[in-house]
């Protein structure tokens, strides 16, 4: 009892005493294992040097692997800050009781946050811009408290038509502290130098094709009937939805989120070198903003996959973005509890699509078939819809899985 009282009364003293004794023994054991490095620059002026931590892509070839030495524990504060910028009311991302009812330990980190973290690179400062994303899949649920490690694989390299730039397709992977593959995607980047093109395209691994998370949700879909459907709207193939949410991202918010993801590219931060209109919103945030504007009308999404995504034009901090979604296809699960919807969501800057395009017939080629490349897209818009010329900042093809809408009879 006396010892317990002493510990309660003098906790800091006990810790300091133990720490002092331990460090004293450690110093005695390792004292002679540090050696001074001779300084040969003892005279004259001193000149600085720049340490370059970036990967030299000019020496990379398809199949090269980049294992990052960094680790990041994503806590609740990061998740909450992300959700403060990108609207969503999908319960799998916002409600712990709902997630646990589906057999998950907690609310799941949003797909857009995982895509942003997977593609964020501290070693690619020489990139000219991000062109888009390729196939992105959530393989296993990630939660606040998980620690992420990342790996990148060069899938392909090609030169642009003028020969002055190089386009790299890079497979990105996130693993947790248990070495479980959580998320994979493909990032498309342009670098302002020439690298010999290669016909080699590294195939996707079988692990990157896994759908364990989706299969779990489908197997648990019958539990959704007990919780009741919160899906607000019926969707139909061929439907074009103008979303009424319109918002910008502020420069402060962009820099904070970019820093949390450990982005270091100067086009996101360096206001000394670049004017305000030259600062660029990171591609992962443009995707997240575009999809968040559609979230309320597509509610309630349980799972999503990214098929393809491009950024035809840059987005600057403070520029407002609106969005529209075209329903390309729709399939219902045999149990009637879930539906798979193939959609294309388009983000537009400096325009409220629900007012500016309300009485406008839009070209079908904007919504059907593969996403047109930026040059072909701009040519088509100038010819058929000048209102959207130079204003589209994101085109994203996705598959979303959501609760089927239920109609509850109302008795008078």
């Amino acid at each position: 009892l006396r010892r317990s009282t002493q510990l309660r009364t003098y906790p800091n003293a006990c810790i300091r005493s133990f720490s002092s004794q331990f460090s004293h023994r450690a110093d005695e054991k390792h004292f002679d294992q540090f050696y001074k490095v001779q300084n040969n620059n003892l005279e004259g002026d001193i000149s600085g040097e720049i340490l370059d931590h970036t990967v030299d892509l000019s020496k990379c070839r398809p199949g090269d692997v980049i294992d990052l030495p960094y680790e990041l524990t994503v806590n609740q504060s990061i998740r909450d800050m992300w959700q403060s910028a990108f609207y969503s009311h999908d319960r799998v991302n916002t409600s712990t009781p709902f997630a646990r009812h589906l057999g998950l330990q907690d609310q799941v980190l949003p797909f857009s946050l995982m895509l942003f973290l997977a593609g964020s690179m501290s070693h690619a400062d020489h990139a000219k811009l991000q062109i888009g994303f390729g196939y992105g899949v959530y393989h296993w649920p990630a939660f606040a408290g998980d620690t992420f490690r990342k790996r990148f694989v060069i899938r392909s390299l090609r030169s642009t038509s003028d020969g002055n730039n190089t386009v790299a397709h890079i497979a990105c992977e996130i693993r947790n502290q248990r070495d479980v593959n959580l998320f994979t995607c493909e990032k498309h980047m342009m670098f302002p130098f020439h690298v010999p093109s290669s016909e080699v395209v590294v195939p996707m691994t079988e692990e990157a094709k896994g759908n364990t998370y989706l299969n779990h949700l489908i197997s648990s879909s019958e539990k959704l009937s007990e919780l009741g459907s919160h899906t607000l709207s019926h969707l139909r193939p061929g439907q074009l939805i103008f979303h009424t949410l319109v918002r910008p991202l502020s420069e402060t918010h962009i820099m904070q989120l970019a820093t949390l993801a450990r982005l270091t590219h100067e086009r996101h931060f360096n206001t000394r070198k670049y004017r305000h209109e030259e600062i660029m919103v990171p591609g992962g945030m443009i995707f997240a903003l575009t999809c968040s504007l559609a979230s309320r009308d597509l509610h309630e999404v349980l799972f999503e996959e990214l098929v393809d995504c491009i950024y035809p034009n840059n987005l600057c901090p403070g520029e407002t973005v609106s969005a529209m979604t075209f329903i390309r296809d729709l399939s219902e699960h045999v149990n009637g509890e879930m539906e798979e919807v193939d959609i294309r969501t388009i983000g537009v800057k400096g325009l409220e699509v629900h007012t500016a395009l309300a009485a406008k017939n839009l070209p079908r080629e904007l919504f059907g078939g593969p996403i047109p490349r930026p040059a072909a897209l701009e040519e088509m818009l100038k010819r058929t819809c000048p209102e959207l010329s130079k204003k589209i900042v994101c085109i994203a093809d996705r598959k979303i899985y959501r609760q089927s809408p239920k109609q509850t009879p109302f008795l008078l």
Side-chain angles (χ1 to χ4, degrees):
L1 289 174
R2 285 196 299 271
R3 180 176 298 176
S4 299
T5 302
Q6 290 175 354
L7 287 174
R8 286 197 299 268
T9 309
Y10 308 104
N12 295 332
C14 295
I15 293 172
R16 281 198 299 270
S17 175
F18 174 79
S19 175
S20 175
Q21 295 174 10
F22 178 81
S23 61
H24 179 67
R25 291 195 298 269
D27 289 346
E28 288 181 342
K29 182 178 180 180
H30 301 289
F31 180 76
D32 59 348
Q33 295 186 12
F34 289 90
Y35 301 93
K36 287 186 176 296
V37 177
Q38 184 176 356
N39 184 2
N40 295 321
N41 187 21
L42 298 177
E43 298 179 356
D45 296 332
I46 299 175
S47 59
E49 60 180 296
I50 298 175
L51 302 181
D52 189 357
H53 301 284
T54 59
V55 173
D56 188 356
L57 192 75
S58 64
K59 299 178 181 179
C60 291
R61 304 307 295 162
D64 286 353
V65 178
I66 305 169
D67 280 308
L68 297 191
Y70 312 117
E71 294 186 359
L72 176 65
T73 299
V74 178
N75 56 28
Q76 293 180 355
S77 298
I78 295 177
R79 181 194 65 198
D80 294 345
M81 187 171 181
W82 184 262
Q83 291 180 329
S84 74
F86 307 108
Y87 174 92
S88 173
H89 233 312
D90 299 323
R91 286 178 292 173
V92 72
N93 302 132
T94 63
S95 170
T96 297
F98 178 83
R100 289 179 177 172
H101 200 90
L102 295 179
L104 305 169
Q105 72 181 50
D106 199 355
Q107 51 188 282
V108 179
L109 296 181
F111 177 93
S112 60
L113 173 58
M114 295 297 291
L115 182 74
F116 179 57
L117 292 176
S120 296
M121 300 177 176
S122 294
H123 63 281
D125 289 350
H126 298 314
K128 184 175 182 179
L129 54 87
Q130 181 179 349
I131 300 172
F133 279 106
Y135 192 53
V137 184
Y138 216 145
H139 301 288
W140 189 263
F143 310 99
D146 282 348
T147 298
F148 295 162
R149 291 181 293 107
K150 293 194 286 189
R151 177 189 232 207
F152 301 99
V153 179
I154 309 297
R155 289 200 65 205
S156 66
L157 293 169
R158 66 172 179 85
S159 298
T160 55
S161 56
D162 59 11
N164 296 326
N165 301 293
T166 297
V167 174
H169 289 191
I170 303 174
C172 312
E173 174 186 287
I174 291 181
R175 290 182 174 270
N176 66 10
Q177 65 275 17
R178 293 178 290 275
D179 200 36
V180 176
N181 185 20
L182 302 178
F183 192 95
T184 58
C185 66
E186 184 178 271
K187 187 175 184 180
H188 304 161
M189 306 178 70
M190 180 182 291
F191 292 84
F193 48 77
H194 174 74
V195 173
S197 297
S198 174
E199 298 297 326
V200 176
V201 178
V202 177
M204 291 177 57
T205 64
E206 290 300 317
E207 191 178 38
K209 300 176 184 178
N211 281 317
T212 305
Y213 180 25
L214 174 60
N215 293 337
H216 171 78
L217 291 175
I218 293 175
S219 66
S220 305
S221 61
E222 293 184 358
K223 298 178 182 178
L224 296 173
S225 60
E226 304 173 17
L227 299 171
S229 175
H230 282 198
T231 298
L232 302 177
S233 57
H234 290 264
L235 304 178
R236 64 183 187 277
Q239 182 181 14
L240 177 61
I241 304 171
F242 291 142
H243 307 295
T244 56
L245 287 179
V246 181
R247 68 169 294 171
L249 288 174
S250 70
E251 186 174 281
T252 301
H253 217 160
I254 291 166
M255 290 187 181
Q256 289 172 336
L257 291 171
T259 302
L260 286 175
R262 304 324 189 247
L263 281 174
T264 57
H265 199 294
E266 61 182 1
R267 287 299 295 267
H268 306 316
F269 301 100
N270 193 344
T271 55
R272 173 69 178 175
K273 184 175 182 179
Y274 298 102
R275 299 190 303 272
H276 174 81
E277 59 271 19
E278 294 177 323
I279 296 294
M280 295 167 55
V281 179
M285 291 190 207
I286 300 175
F287 170 85
L289 179 59
T290 298
C291 295
S292 71
L293 299 175
S295 179
R296 183 171 61 175
D297 293 327
L298 300 177
H299 184 80
E300 176 174 32
V301 175
L302 297 169
F303 183 86
E304 64 181 288
E305 294 176 349
L306 177 62
V307 179
D308 195 12
C309 173
I310 68 166
Y311 305 115
N313 296 285
N314 295 332
L315 180 67
C316 299
E319 290 187 302
T320 57
V321 176
S322 62
M324 53 185 167
T325 295
F326 182 72
I327 311 302
R328 293 157 60 96
D329 199 7
L330 188 148
S331 303
E332 294 183 354
H333 195 270
V334 292
N335 64 12
E337 297 296 337
M338 291 183 67
E339 58 185 20
E340 174 192 295
V341 191
D342 185 359
I343 63 175
R344 173 170 294 177
T345 301
I346 300 176
V348 183
K349 67 178 179 179
L351 194 72
E352 292 184 355
V353 295
H354 63 283
T355 57
L357 304 178
K360 179 76 176 178
N361 292 325
L362 302 180
R364 182 166 291 275
E365 54 263 43
L366 182 60
F367 306 103
I371 298 177
R373 298 302 97 180
L377 173 68
E378 189 59 30
E379 181 182 349
M380 181 259 291
L381 292 176
K382 287 180 178 179
R383 186 180 70 253
T384 60
C385 188
E387 294 91 339
L388 294 177
S389 178
K390 297 292 185 182
K391 290 186 178 296
I392 293 180
V393 294
C394 178
I395 303 179
D397 283 353
R398 296 181 291 158
K399 284 186 178 180
I400 62 172
Y401 297 79
R402 64 179 206 151
Q403 282 188 270
S404 298
K406 301 292 183 181
Q407 288 185 341
T408 303
F410 180 74
L411 301 179
L412 294 176

